[in-house]
């Protein structure tokens, strides 16, 4: 692919860009940006592409990503607490029923 000169409007947005243009987007990207092959765009301060959010995690959405992770951990703890408490109650009911059968209780 021949290198295309950067567009003047992109040079105005990012005048201190060291890279002249992205070979795939053909724009002048900001510093510390990388091209995401899944989104097919350059992302400033690219971290990774999140499959759960279906977007790139970069400069503008680190806070949202960590909030998403925190809320998922909280929901997981609540769900495990509910499952754990119900299994303890179920085991106590089973032990109560098995112990009442051993007392020799006959028919009424």
């Amino acid at each position: 692919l021949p290198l295309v000169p950067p567009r003047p409007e992109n040079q105005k947005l990012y005048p201190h860009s060291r890279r002249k243009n992205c070979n795939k987007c053909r724009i002048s990207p900001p510093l510390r940006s990388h091209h995401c092959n899944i989104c097919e765009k350059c992302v400033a301060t690219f971290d990774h592409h999140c499959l759960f959010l279906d977007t790139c995690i970069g400069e503008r959405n680190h806070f949202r990503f960590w909030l998403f992770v925190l809320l998922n951990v909280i929901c997981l703890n609540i769900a495990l607490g509910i499952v754990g408490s119900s299994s303890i109650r179920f085991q106590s009911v089973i032990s109560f029923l098995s112990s009442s059968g051993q007392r020799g209780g006959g028919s009424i």
Side-chain angles (χ1 to χ4, degrees):
L1 291 172
L3 293 177
V4 176
R7 297 178 188 158
E9 63 270 8
N10 290 330
Q11 283 291 25
K12 290 177 187 174
L13 292 174
Y14 308 111
H16 303 291
S17 179
R18 290 186 193 142
R19 294 191 313 173
K20 296 300 179 195
N21 59 354
C22 175
N23 293 335
K24 296 180 182 178
C25 294
R26 300 184 192 278
I27 65 166
S28 177
L31 292 175
R32 294 175 299 204
S33 67
H34 295 281
H35 186 83
C36 177
N37 292 327
I38 298 170
C39 291
E40 292 297 326
K41 62 182 177 179
C42 283
V43 180
T45 323
F46 180 73
D47 189 11
H48 69 281
H49 185 88
C50 182
L51 297 175
F52 298 109
L53 298 176
D54 194 31
T55 188
C56 290
I57 305 303
E59 183 176 275
R60 296 182 183 166
N61 58 1
H62 267 125
F63 175 75
R64 289 185 213 148
F65 174 71
W66 286 112
L67 182 65
F68 172 74
V69 170
L70 177 69
L71 290 175
N72 278 325
V73 167
I74 291 171
C75 289
L76 179 66
N77 283 334
I78 291 170
L80 289 176
I82 291 170
V83 169
S85 66
S86 65
S87 66
I88 291 171
R89 289 182 191 154
F90 183 70
Q91 288 174 355
S92 63
V93 167
I94 295 288
S95 64
F96 173 75
L97 292 176
S98 64
S99 65
S100 65
Q102 292 175 356
R103 290 186 197 162
S107 61
I108 299 179

